[in-house]
Amino acid sequence: MNKVKHLIEPDDLTNSEIESLISKGMDIYDNPKNYSDVCKGKIMASLFFEPSTRTKFSFDSAMIRLGGNVIGFSDASTSSTSKGESLADTIKVMSFYSDIIVMRHPKEGAPKLASMVSEVPIINGGDGGHQHPTQTLTDLITIKRFKGNITNHTIGFCGDLKHGRTVHSLIKTLSRFEGNNFILVSPKELRLPEGLKYQLTKQYGTKFTEVETLDEVMDKLDVLYMTRIQKERFFNEEDYLRLKNSYILTNDKISNAKANMIIMHPLPRVNEISYEIDDDPRSVYFEQSRMGVFVRMALITTLLEEAK
Amino acid sequence: MLEVKGIKEGIVIDHIKAGNGLKLFNLLMLEYINCPIVLVMNVDSKNLEKKDIIKIEDKFDLDLDKLGLIDSNITVNIIKNNKVIDKKNVTIPKKVKGTFKCSNPRCITNSDDYISPSFKLIDSKGTPEYLCEYCEEITKYDGYLLNK
Ligand SMILES: [Zn+2]
């Protein structure tokens, strides 16, 4: 079997590979015409064993903008794994029908299994609560576009930091780049998992502080990364009532933030960012989802190029 | 007291903490081996209060690396012509494949027969902790997760 490169988790990419994907993504953003037929004649299989409209369409759009074609499914019940076929068999066969495969699967580790049997590059579009590397690339290219670089920032993460896989991957990856430090804002019960904190400190010497409310740190942030926080995640009503307002972003809340701070969110949001914030020039979450298409275009072309 | 004679050729797994003998028997899948085997349980021991012993006649090619999962104080004697010609140390295995299940219910290895769960040892103090190579969750090996 050919040795092809896959993207299963952010750690599959070196820092310089990440940087070149970001700059390629920026180049595509600036000059989309130059890339409109670089994937002509190529087929991307988009295998969504679990629905995720946003991620699926972001990938499909990326491939189509590159002049390629897309086949696949967006619901496991239409795939033969629902008849009991092993995932390995599905992937093996799909890798004969396509040049690159992007997959989302509810089981953690499924893309890794896929990468072991596939003849073509596998891109992990999310596996359970485990990894979502293209969201991380999306976040990084957004920071690059709006802040100029992905180093030397103070990044605040706010919300449910315990269950948020987008947060976990992004912190780990940003820790690999120089000078970044983190302020973690969450209720005590929803702090970053101990294992991850241990890993960050031990492996990267990451600097972070943990607080419970946004107000005390707002003026220090270069980037504010909001995530969903649900009422049912709280351990008691009292804590919820006490903290609820401190996690909902309003104009008032960001009044003392830096003028060049950016507000990010992996979307979809529920109520953690009020609509009045959308007009603030610091809000970049919609641009963030747009940048996701460009970085995915960069990723697809790069993996296809390397698989030749 | 029950007497079990020594063996002429083969393997003697000694100093098994009483109660672990049957676990080892299962772990090594000795029921599928076609040679004389003795499992002795609860015999008096100098160092341990009670111990189990397994004797396997005429057989040398067993995957003994797994033994450390159950008990790292075990001694393994290789016997030829009634003499102990080699004593093997038992250590906690650094890599384990297919021996126990991943404790993460969302892990692909728990729902797809194509692959066996495989793990890397990350902590050998106390109950060994293993990192799943697929989902990267930690499984503490407690001796009861045997056989997928
Ligand atoms: Zn696992």
Side-chain angles (χ1 to χ4, degrees):
Chain A
M1 193 186 292
N2 280 338
K3 198 100 182 89
V4 293
K5 190 162 171 67
H6 309 281
L7 177 59
I8 308 303
E9 51 172 315
D11 279 357
D12 290 336
L13 299 168
T14 63
N15 283 15
S16 64
E17 282 169 331
I18 288 175
E19 283 177 299
S20 71
L21 282 173
I22 291 174
S23 38
K24 193 172 194 175
M26 297 289 286
D27 189 49
I28 300 173
Y29 172 77
D30 290 332
N31 311 288
K33 284 212 176 86
N34 295 352
Y35 293 86
S36 60
D37 62 358
V38 295
C39 286
K40 205 169 166 195
K42 296 287 183 192
I43 296 172
M44 180 183 86
S46 162
L47 311 181
F48 279 63
F49 294 88
E50 172 185 73
S52 169
T53 320
R54 207 177 294 265
T55 305
K56 180 174 162 50
F57 284 146
S58 177
F59 272 110
D60 292 0
S61 164
M63 188 55 168
I64 293 165
R65 282 170 189 270
L66 292 165
N69 292 297
V70 179
I71 55 173
F73 51 81
S74 54
D75 179 357
S77 65
T78 61
S79 84
S80 43
T81 44
S82 68
K83 298 176 194 148
E85 184 182 48
S86 159
L87 173 67
D89 286 3
T90 308
I91 296 295
K92 233 182 261 182
V93 171
M94 289 309 293
S95 76
F96 303 143
Y97 300 166
S98 59
D99 301 291
I100 190 163
I101 294 173
V102 48
M103 65 182 286
R104 153 82 52 116
H105 200 283
K107 295 289 178 183
E108 296 165 9
K112 166 123 179 185
L113 164 61
S115 73
M116 290 160 62
V117 298
S118 175
E119 306 267 338
V120 301
I122 297 282
I123 300 173
N124 181 4
D127 59 332
H130 182 215
Q131 299 279 355
H132 194 3
T134 60
Q135 178 66 48
T136 303
L137 291 174
T138 299
D139 297 340
L140 293 171
I141 194 174
T142 305
I143 297 174
K144 169 79 176 180
R145 181 179 150 199
F146 290 98
K147 301 296 293 178
N149 53 52
I150 54 171
T151 53
N152 298 306
H153 298 307
T154 296
I155 301 119
F157 286 91
C158 176
D160 180 354
L161 307 186
K162 186 174 179 184
H163 303 95
R165 73 179 165 201
T166 58
V167 171
H168 301 170
S169 297
L170 184 57
I171 292 192
K172 259 173 98 169
T173 312
L174 278 171
S175 292
R176 288 160 47 183
F177 292 88
E178 203 185 321
N180 292 316
N181 65 81
F182 306 96
I183 298 179
L184 310 173
V185 188
S186 73
K188 280 197 188 69
E189 295 85 351
L190 298 176
R191 281 184 177 169
L192 216 59
E194 286 304 317
L196 178 56
K197 282 194 268 184
Y198 175 79
Q199 205 180 356
L200 290 175
T201 317
K202 211 179 144 182
Q203 203 174 339
Y204 306 108
T206 308
K207 292 194 189 88
F208 58 82
T209 47
E210 293 179 296
V211 297
E212 279 195 66
T213 60
L214 260 174
D215 293 345
E216 52 192 303
V217 297
M218 187 63 83
D219 59 340
K220 299 182 180 69
L221 305 177
D222 302 311
V223 176
L224 171 56
Y225 196 97
M226 295 294 293
T227 64
R228 243 175 312 159
I229 182 159
Q230 289 125 323
K231 191 179 171 187
E232 63 273 19
R233 293 278 198 217
F234 279 90
F235 286 63
N236 62 63
E237 181 79 14
E238 205 180 301
D239 281 347
Y240 175 69
L241 292 174
R242 179 170 60 86
L243 292 167
K244 173 177 83 161
N245 290 328
S246 77
Y247 295 129
I248 296 174
L249 222 54
T250 55
N251 278 335
D252 188 40
K253 277 265 166 331
I254 57 168
S255 59
N256 69 332
K258 289 182 187 174
N260 63 352
M261 181 185 82
I262 57 170
I263 303 165
M264 296 172 65
H265 191 298
L267 300 181
R269 70 173 147 176
V270 183
N271 66 346
E272 56 280 1
I273 301 179
S274 66
Y275 295 128
E276 64 183 27
I277 299 273
D278 293 357
D279 296 330
D280 193 288
R282 288 170 284 194
S283 297
V284 303
Y285 29 89
F286 288 110
E287 282 303 304
Q288 186 181 350
S289 63
R290 178 211 289 247
M291 294 313 288
V293 177
F294 297 109
V295 84
R296 286 181 174 100
M297 289 168 81
L299 178 65
I300 292 168
T301 56
T302 303
L303 291 180
L304 282 174
E305 191 64 35
E306 284 176 16
K308 260 185 202 163
Chain B
M1 193 193 137
L2 177 73
E3 277 250 11
V4 183
K5 283 212 311 205
I7 55 173
K8 196 168 171 235
E9 306 246 321
I11 301 171
V12 175
I13 306 172
D14 200 355
H15 303 112
I16 306 167
K17 195 169 159 241
N20 282 341
L22 198 56
K23 281 188 207 164
L24 282 185
F25 194 92
N26 291 328
L27 182 74
L28 296 171
M29 296 195 280
L30 295 180
E31 70 266 41
Y32 300 114
I33 289 176
N34 193 17
C35 62
I37 299 165
V38 188
L39 164 62
V40 195
M41 294 165 72
N42 286 320
V43 295
D44 289 324
S45 158
K46 264 183 252 163
N47 305 326
L48 308 159
E49 243 170 46
K50 296 275 182 192
K51 68 174 182 179
D52 297 349
I53 307 169
I54 296 174
K55 301 185 184 194
I56 306 154
E57 187 114 40
D58 294 332
K59 185 82 187 167
F60 301 99
D61 56 344
L62 285 172
D63 181 6
L64 300 172
D65 290 344
K66 290 179 180 175
L67 297 183
L69 270 178
I70 304 275
D71 186 341
S72 53
N73 295 313
I74 293 169
T75 49
V76 177
N77 300 308
I78 310 293
I79 300 183
K80 279 200 171 153
N81 288 323
N82 295 309
K83 276 190 191 140
V84 178
I85 59 149
D86 195 9
K87 273 183 188 284
K88 291 197 173 184
N89 283 328
V90 170
T91 52
I92 298 173
K94 296 223 163 32
K95 290 206 161 207
V96 180
K97 194 172 180 187
T99 306
F100 52 88
K101 280 173 55 168
C102 177
S103 62
N104 173 10
R106 293 179 311 277
C107 180
I108 186 72
T109 62
N110 285 318
S111 62
D112 198 300
D113 290 337
Y114 186 85
I115 32 161
S116 302
S118 63
F119 302 91
K120 258 190 331 208
L121 180 69
I122 53 165
D123 191 355
S124 58
K125 286 177 246 94
T127 311
E129 290 188 348
Y130 284 93
L131 190 74
C132 174
E133 300 208 287
Y134 290 88
C135 72
E136 298 180 291
E137 290 273 329
I138 294 169
T139 296
K140 287 191 183 205
Y141 183 73
D142 60 7
Y144 293 96
L145 293 162
L146 284 170
N147 293 326
K148 191 183 165 181

